[in-house]
Amino acid sequence: KQEVTQIPAALSVPEGENLVLNCSFTDSAIYNLQWFRQDPGKGLTSLLLIQSSQREQTSGRLNASLDKSSGRSTLYIAASQPGDSATYLCAVRIKATSGSRLTFGEGTQLTVNP
Amino acid sequence: GAGVSQSPRYKVAKRGQDVALRCDPISGHVSLFWYQQALGQGPEFLTYFQNEAQLDKSGLPSDRFFAERPEGSVSTLKIQRTQQEDSAVYLCASSSNNRGLSNQPQHFGDGTRLSIL
């Protein structure tokens, strides 16, 4: 069974700092990995999607990497801002015979202090 | 609308009542997923539809949970004889994947927050 772990569970940083969120998964047979942002009381906003054949994806101040063989992904946030405060979730899409569900980690709760 | 729409946003029910949660996916999206998110946890998969066909319901926690998508668009998640442990946020997601293509992102609604008293 695929398991996804995110470290740390919570992180508090001063504004302007660069930071890294970590995600690990136990089964490397994945189609892709997706990073989401979730604000309190809201749904999930997709940030980056990395296909299994890719090593990284970038969007603005965000960079996500994928090392499928070791079962790891990182989300790098440059020059953090208070508006980045949210819970960040990673999810892997597993290879299955029926459908392609996402398996989520428990998230990292990020607070960026002004 | 441009995104996935879920209703109601909040639902409070007494233990033992039946509830129905609605999801309007992005127009044209063939794949639809339901997830359950407990407080402080990541979402957990419940069930998956490809058009009107329910292809995977292995995540439904009990036979009190039932989902349908009769015309391949709007979906309803029904919970019968609700229990306190059913309290959670129920998220719906859709994607444009066809069965053989799993490389498109899932787009999520804001969820329905269900509280069972």
Side-chain angles (χ1 to χ4, degrees):
Chain A
K1 178 187 173 185
Q2 178 73 270
E3 293 183 2
V4 180
T5 303
Q6 291 187 244
I7 295 173
L11 181 63
S12 181
V13 300
E15 182 177 4
E17 191 163 300
N18 301 325
L19 58 99
V20 174
L21 308 181
N22 296 291
C23 173
S24 61
F25 47 96
T26 55
D27 186 345
S28 61
I30 63 170
Y31 278 126
N32 54 49
L33 182 145
Q34 200 166 351
W35 281 93
F36 294 90
R37 169 189 173 131
Q38 186 172 34
D39 293 285
K42 294 290 189 179
L44 280 63
T45 300
S46 180
L47 298 173
L48 290 164
L49 172 70
I50 311 177
Q51 303 299 341
S52 61
S53 59
Q54 296 175 321
R55 299 283 294 181
E56 65 177 333
Q57 282 286 330
T58 298
S59 176
R61 294 183 293 108
L62 305 180
N63 176 275
S65 67
L66 174 64
D67 185 341
K68 199 175 71 166
S69 61
S70 67
R72 295 180 187 274
S73 175
T74 61
L75 179 66
Y76 175 82
I77 303 177
S80 58
Q81 302 171 357
D84 295 331
S85 298
T87 296
Y88 290 81
L89 293 154
C90 77
V92 296
R93 175 165 280 179
I94 63 173
K95 292 183 177 181
T97 56
S98 62
S100 51
R101 68 177 70 178
L102 291 175
T103 300
F104 284 84
E106 294 191 347
T108 293
Q109 187 172 351
L110 173 65
T111 302
V112 181
N113 301 301
Chain B
V4 177
S5 178
Q6 293 187 245
S7 60
R9 289 280 287 120
Y10 303 92
K11 177 69 178 178
V12 179
K14 293 182 179 179
R15 186 165 58 94
Q17 289 183 329
D18 298 348
V19 297
L21 314 179
R22 177 187 168 104
C23 173
D24 280 90
I26 293 173
S27 178
H29 277 193
V30 298
S31 296
L32 186 145
F33 303 81
W34 283 99
Y35 294 85
Q36 180 190 59
Q37 187 176 24
L39 188 64
Q41 304 291 315
E44 295 276 349
F45 171 81
L46 292 177
T47 187
Y48 160 67
F49 289 86
Q50 185 81 9
N51 296 304
E52 70 280 1
Q54 189 175 21
L55 299 185
D56 187 349
K57 54 181 181 179
S58 61
L60 296 177
S62 78
D63 59 7
R64 296 186 295 103
F65 287 70
F66 172 77
E68 60 183 3
R69 194 186 185 197
E71 298 178 359
S73 179
V74 171
S75 178
T76 302
L77 176 67
K78 298 179 180 178
I79 310 174
Q80 298 176 323
R81 303 181 305 281
T82 52
Q83 303 293 318
Q84 283 191 321
E85 62 262 28
D86 300 334
S87 296
V89 175
Y90 290 85
L91 295 165
C92 176
S94 70
S95 75
S96 58
N97 287 344
N98 287 319
R99 188 171 185 173
L101 294 172
S102 300
N103 60 351
Q104 298 301 309
Q106 292 185 17
H107 300 271
F108 282 77
D110 283 343
T112 294
R113 184 175 299 274
L114 177 63
S115 298
I116 304 300
L117 305 179

